[in-house]
Amino acid sequence: MANEIDLLIKNIGVLATPIGSVAKYGKEQNEIMVLKNAYIAVNNGEILEVGTGNCGFENVATQVIDASGCLVTPGLVDSHTHLVFGGWRQHEMSLKLCGASYLDILKAGGGILSTVERTREATEDELFYKSKALLETMLAHGTTTCEIKSGYGLNFDDELKQLNVTARLKKETPLDIASTFMGAHAVPKEFKENRDGYIDLLCNKIIPELATHKLAEFCDIFCESSVFDINETQRILETAASHGMKIKMHADEIEPMGGAELAGKLSAISAEHLIQASNQGIQAMAKSKTIAVLLPATSFYLDKPYARARKMLDENMAVAVATDFNPGSSPNLNLQLPMNIACLKYKLTPSEVLTAVTLNAAAAIGFEKKLGSLEPKKQADIVIWNCEDLDFLFYRYGNNQVKQVIKAGKVM
């Protein structure tokens, strides 16, 4: 026993957590550890001990939190966001209600391209302070780690501006953040008649520059009809991989494009959306151990079908669930809502969803060895919920159920 510990959380009614430092696939995703009358001892930002009953740490703990019989889980991990952007897009709501599709709005110069205009107009400081406030809201809802994609600059200077904002957020906020370059989010207006010229810019200038300065760990691309086709996607992702970046894909969201098959072929760390993924694509991703990052709040907001999460687990895939926070198709920061929807529409169990927003989500952005579970030597990212058990967390929806958040051993 340590002579002194920084933090003790006692009287935990139910502690629920996946276990391990790798993603959980298939049936294993439902296998979590559940302890009653539990405690967690924390020292130097790491979990020292997890157990049940009386621990004997109370007299040596600098700070003691009484969980008062509440549920405790790992901090939530949001593995897919587009958090740094200028402006909002509330005016598109009425267009969607009148029947305009996502791609219709994009072709008319709206959607991503309207956000590109606002992002280009914004200064780095304006983007930073807006994003910092958004991260504070996420933290208050239990999200202690997230990924942030660029993709609203679509030129050299403004993509770097977005990524520089993300780098500042890493330094100046308590959250752990993974940075993803997504310059291939759309073709900008100035390259409308010269797609190849824009792809050359991405491959020959922007990606090498990012790799040199290590501004992004991952590269993502919107592989979709009217955006980037399979061959363009493969060229961009292979270029990124050749510069040491790990690859992700927005795949088969709106139309079946063969994106899931390509994700498997390229051994992408994750493929995201996957609403229209084929059986062959799911099997290819299962073979390559590509993690499916599913975005149920986007299906809900756009009134679109839901990805076949159960089929993916049956094929022994690992499934993560994220918000897809962005100004157009998922203006929601609260990961609790996608968790609820994943139970109700994907028909996943509470245990499967908990793994999807902790350990599997951490694995999708490279943090699985550091966080995503509550066990010794992991970082002490912990949420105490106003819930008596895990079922209650998924039973209630529409309100913030967080009681207290601990990030790296510090009470937020």
Side-chain angles (χ1 to χ4, degrees):
M1 182 183 297
N3 293 327
E4 184 175 319
I5 64 170
D6 297 330
L7 175 66
L8 172 67
I9 306 172
K10 66 174 186 176
N11 294 334
I12 299 170
V14 173
L15 184 151
T17 181
I19 292 295
S21 296
V22 295
K24 299 297 183 181
Y25 293 82
K27 293 179 180 179
E28 287 185 349
Q29 185 153 341
N30 197 41
E31 297 171 2
I32 65 171
M33 181 176 78
V34 177
L35 300 177
K36 296 184 178 181
N37 187 26
Y39 65 86
I40 304 174
V42 175
N43 204 43
N44 294 324
E46 289 188 350
I47 296 172
L48 179 68
E49 184 172 305
V50 175
T52 59
N54 296 320
C55 63
F57 281 113
E58 281 195 68
N59 293 332
V60 296
T62 302
Q63 184 176 10
V64 178
I65 295 176
D66 190 336
S68 303
C70 290
L71 169 71
V72 168
T73 72
L76 305 182
V77 179
D78 195 342
S79 54
H80 182 130
T81 84
H82 303 259
L83 187 124
V84 178
F85 58 85
W88 293 92
R89 302 215 307 259
Q90 66 272 22
H91 61 282
E92 291 181 8
M93 173 74 81
S94 58
L95 297 176
K96 292 168 185 168
L97 292 174
C98 291
S101 73
Y102 183 88
L103 293 179
D104 290 336
I105 293 170
L106 180 62
K107 288 176 183 176
I112 293 168
L113 296 179
S114 66
T115 299
V116 169
E117 291 182 12
R118 303 288 83 78
T119 304
R120 288 179 176 182
E121 291 167 357
T123 67
E124 183 177 310
D125 278 347
E126 287 170 339
L127 292 174
F128 172 77
Y129 288 111
K130 176 183 178 179
S131 302
K132 185 172 182 285
L134 294 172
L135 284 177
E136 289 169 354
T137 299
M138 293 175 72
L139 187 63
H141 286 81
T143 297
T144 56
T145 300
C146 73
E147 180 245 26
I148 301 176
K149 304 179 191 292
S150 70
Y152 291 126
L154 305 189
N155 61 31
F156 183 84
D157 290 339
D158 291 299
E159 283 295 312
L160 259 65
K161 180 173 66 177
Q162 277 192 277
L163 292 167
N164 282 330
V165 169
T166 300
R168 287 179 64 184
L169 294 169
K170 288 183 180 184
K171 293 178 181 177
E172 298 183 40
T173 70
L175 282 81
D176 284 287
I177 298 171
S179 180
T180 297
F181 170 62
M182 197 174 174
H185 201 185
V187 176
K189 290 180 180 179
E190 61 269 27
F191 282 92
K192 186 175 181 181
E193 305 302 324
N194 185 17
R195 294 177 60 83
D196 288 342
Y198 184 60
I199 294 169
D200 287 342
L201 176 67
L202 293 172
C203 293
N204 299 334
K205 183 177 181 180
I206 301 181
I207 289 173
E209 182 75 9
L210 300 182
T212 297
H213 296 286
K214 301 187 184 305
L215 280 173
E217 302 96 79
F218 303 97
C219 181
D220 198 347
I221 184 168
F222 194 2
C223 181
E224 191 58 66
S225 173
S226 302
V227 192
F228 294 95
D229 66 26
I230 287 291
N231 292 331
E232 293 166 339
T233 296
Q234 183 165 347
R235 179 189 169 192
I236 294 166
L237 291 180
E238 286 181 341
T239 299
S242 73
H243 284 85
M245 299 170 75
K246 297 177 182 178
I247 58 176
K248 296 174 168 285
M249 283 181 63
H250 280 51
D252 299 326
E253 176 186 2
I254 301 169
E255 296 181 13
M257 293 275 296
E261 288 89 336
L262 181 61
K265 176 183 176 181
L266 298 179
S267 296
I269 188 171
S270 66
E272 329 218 337
H273 286 288
L274 297 171
I275 292 169
Q276 301 294 339
S278 68
N279 289 342
Q280 293 84 357
I282 291 172
Q283 290 164 1
M285 290 187 296
K287 185 176 180 181
S288 67
K289 297 295 185 182
T290 296
I291 297 170
V293 178
L294 305 184
L295 309 165
T298 308
S299 293
F300 170 78
Y301 187 77
L302 297 178
D303 195 22
K304 296 297 182 182
Y306 291 86
R308 295 187 291 160
R310 179 55 56 198
K311 170 69 173 175
M312 293 173 189
L313 288 179
D314 289 345
E315 293 289 344
N316 205 38
M317 285 193 69
V319 169
V321 167
T323 61
D324 190 21
F325 173 68
N326 73 83
S329 58
S330 185
N332 164 56
L333 287 164
N334 181 2
L335 186 51
Q336 295 169 53
L337 178 60
M339 290 164 63
N340 296 135
I341 299 173
C343 273
L344 296 170
K345 295 299 184 180
Y346 292 161
K347 307 302 181 185
L348 300 184
T349 68
S351 297
E352 287 170 334
V353 179
L354 179 66
T355 302
V357 295
T358 54
L359 185 56
N360 281 7
I365 56 174
F367 284 127
E368 69 274 23
K369 291 183 170 41
K370 177 181 180 180
L371 44 82
S373 62
L374 299 178
E375 52 190 320
K377 298 186 179 181
K378 282 288 188 83
Q379 183 167 283
D381 289 10
I382 303 163
V383 180
I384 304 173
W385 301 91
N386 280 310
C387 302
E388 60 187 41
D389 55 31
L390 193 59
D391 285 342
F392 196 89
L393 177 59
F394 290 90
Y395 161 70
R396 290 289 305 277
Y397 69 97
N399 63 308
N400 184 11
Q401 299 194 77
V402 168
K403 182 176 183 180
Q404 205 157 22
V405 177
I406 294 93
K407 176 63 182 176
K410 296 182 180 179
V411 179
M412 296 290 103

